Amino acid sequence: VWWLGVLGSGNAKDYGSFYVLLFSRMATGCAEAAFTVVAPPLIQDRGGAGSGMWLSFYLTGLPVGLALGYVYGSHMATSDVWDWGWAFYFLNAASLPLLVAMAFVRDGTNG
């Protein structure tokens, strides 16, 4: 769902539709919110003695990601070669190997 929402956000400019952008960003936000709720207990179940360190590493992603997102977004918005829609396309391309890799992960803890 997240991947399709990001792809739809990039396509919003091509469609010239604010509503495509709105609903794509809503889908992205719902997918991120669902993952944010589920991730800490999963990390704690699987982290063992170092679960606190892994949880802090995960939670550090929010402020670091926000800061990098501002830099990345401003660079893409002011680029002469790319427009803002390409920021979403590049994000999709970068996340595709992770999506493929996660399709092969088997969960031994919860079955």
Side-chain angles (χ1 to χ4, degrees):
V1 172
W2 179 87
W3 198 82
L4 293 174
V6 173
L7 185 63
S9 298
N11 287 333
K13 187 169 185 178
D14 296 335
Y15 294 134
S17 173
F18 171 74
Y19 292 108
V20 171
L21 180 63
L22 175 67
F23 290 117
S24 295
R25 297 306 295 158
M26 287 172 61
T28 303
C30 289
E32 288 178 4
F35 181 73
T36 302
V37 170
V38 173
L42 291 176
I43 292 169
Q44 203 156 16
D45 287 347
R46 290 155 181 81
S51 63
M53 189 264 310
W54 290 114
L55 190 58
S56 65
F57 181 74
Y58 168 74
L59 293 174
T60 302
L62 180 65
V64 171
L66 281 171
L68 291 176
Y70 279 121
V71 172
Y72 175 65
S74 65
H75 173 70
M76 292 302 290
T78 59
S79 174
D80 293 331
V81 179
W82 312 105
D83 62 356
W84 61 266
W86 279 94
F88 296 106
Y89 296 141
F90 289 143
L91 186 60
N92 263 11
S95 66
L96 188 60
L98 183 62
L99 178 69
V100 171
M102 295 307 282
F104 296 104
V105 172
R106 298 292 170 236
D107 186 8
T109 302
N110 291 332

